[in-house]
Amino acid sequence: MLDAELKTQLAAYLQRLVSPIELVASLDERAESQELLALLHDIAALNPQIAVREDGSDARRPSFAVNKPGEESGVCFAGIPLGHEFTSLVLALLQVSGYAPKVSDDVLAQIRELPAGLHFETFISLSCHNCPDVVQAFNLMAVVNPGISHTMIDGALFQDEVERKQIMSVPSVHLNGESFGQGRMTLEEILAKVDINAGARDAEKLNAKAPYDVLIVGGGPAGAAAAIYAARKGIRTGVVAERFGGQVLDTMGIENFISVSQTEGPKLVAALEQHVKDYDVDVMNTQRATALSAGKQVSITLANGAVLESKSVIIATGARWREMNVPGEQEYRGRGVAYCPHCDGPLFKGKQVGVIGGGNSGVEAAIDLAGIVAHVTLIEFDKELRADAVLQKKLRSLSNVTIITSALTTEVLGNGDKMTGLTYKNRLDDSAHELALDGVFVQIGLLPNTDWLKGSVALSPRGEIEVDAKGQTSVPGVFAAGDATTSPYKQIIIAMGEGSKAALSAFDHLIRSSVSEDEVEAA
């Protein structure tokens, strides 16, 4: 099941096992059960502390639990956790054995204090690069707190359940049988949602923090670069971010990051986060900024009511997927309307789907989906596709793809439970058309995350923060960088450069401001 190279790597990791574990399999007659059993025996053969049992009683088959002998850990995998989920499996093996997770003592204490009786289920696809973080977070919670259990469910292997529960987006999490959340969630975000008192405690801690020299709002490439450059100057640096990594976490393949021929968004974000942690930077994750006000210092108000003060601020809040803004889009979001083809594509295997957008993102999505679904209809507003020629050539070579241009999507249709199709208008003759679709993937660009700044800094007509060549905004001491600004060409490497420049500009501002204050006092 596992190739020789992977076995060698896994064997090295399994040397860290602290105590014996059992892999308890629940199997049936399907071929997937034999594949799972082969995987479990491959793993057990690599370390004498691992045993395999085939007497599991889980109703979902094939599945297996990771337990200590005579104990239930609450960690279960329904499916074969390969692909992106292989790391989740390895971490589960180690943590159930007693290997200490790499989280703070405060987080561990918060998990232990959660009430018993919490059973989480996470529906995933093995091609989803957002799913492993969610699976690993819930597995860790189950290991730390005996009152919590978690099951990872491969939606492609349990399609009947996926259909019955109307799951059309991954990761999709259920708590005690009820919908809990969708999309990427960090451990901190999960705890904030489960622990109703977490917000008040966070606000109290944040309000007690001393003012910063530089406070960066946003944890994407621009924010991370700004934090590193600021911290290297030896000044008090803080980062407040709703989600460290930002949009890059949702990016699958990165092939234009100079000196790195190919990587994936989550890997790059992990490297960025570690680089920031190498310096004395106060990172405040899962915190959303709601307002900025400037006086003698700059104040940033957070969603939980806390207020952070700083001598200077760098805004690097990035951008989000642009929505169609048509009737039915919000109603059927996660129930047919999707934005990540890599994550949610496998849930539409053998079905009819649409892609909105004829740029590189849209055409790439259509190409990827064509290998999974029955048919793809790509809808482009303009009279021709805007993607690179090589991508268009590939798209047009696929027999199960239809391309419609000069089309304006007007409504997402559904039956109340899930999407059933959409309507569009032909922009050449104003004729109306209806398409029967099981899902649609929206790929029409990005919108800057700047709504919270209206009235406090100058924004362009498109909502981007207006900056000069040094990253200075209309407010003295407030700088900005990355996709949220008017800086052209929204690219990771450009955002990093702009973030670095903003940090240097902020440092220069601090030096000049301190000199001016000294001159005033001397006078």
Side-chain angles (χ1 to χ4, degrees), residues 356-360 362-363 378-381 384-387 392 443:
I356 308 298
N360 283 348
V363 172
L378 185 143
I379 300 173
E380 163 59 27
F381 179 83
E384 58 187 23
L385 303 185
R386 293 166 286 108
Q392 292 193 43
Q443 303 282 289

Side-chain angles (χ1 to χ4, degrees), residues 1-3 6-7 10 23 25-28 30-46 50-54 62-64 79-82 86 89:
M1 188 70 182
L2 301 177
D3 62 37
L6 191 54
K7 286 181 180 179
L10 181 56
L23 307 178
S26 300
L27 306 172
D28 57 17
R30 289 197 288 174
E32 289 84 359
S33 284
Q34 296 308 308
E35 291 178 22
L36 174 60
L37 189 59
L39 171 65
L40 300 185
H41 281 298
D42 276 357
I43 294 171
L46 298 175
I50 304 175
V52 177
R53 287 170 39 197
E54 300 178 31
S63 66
F64 68 99
I80 306 172
L82 295 176
F86 189 69
L89 170 59

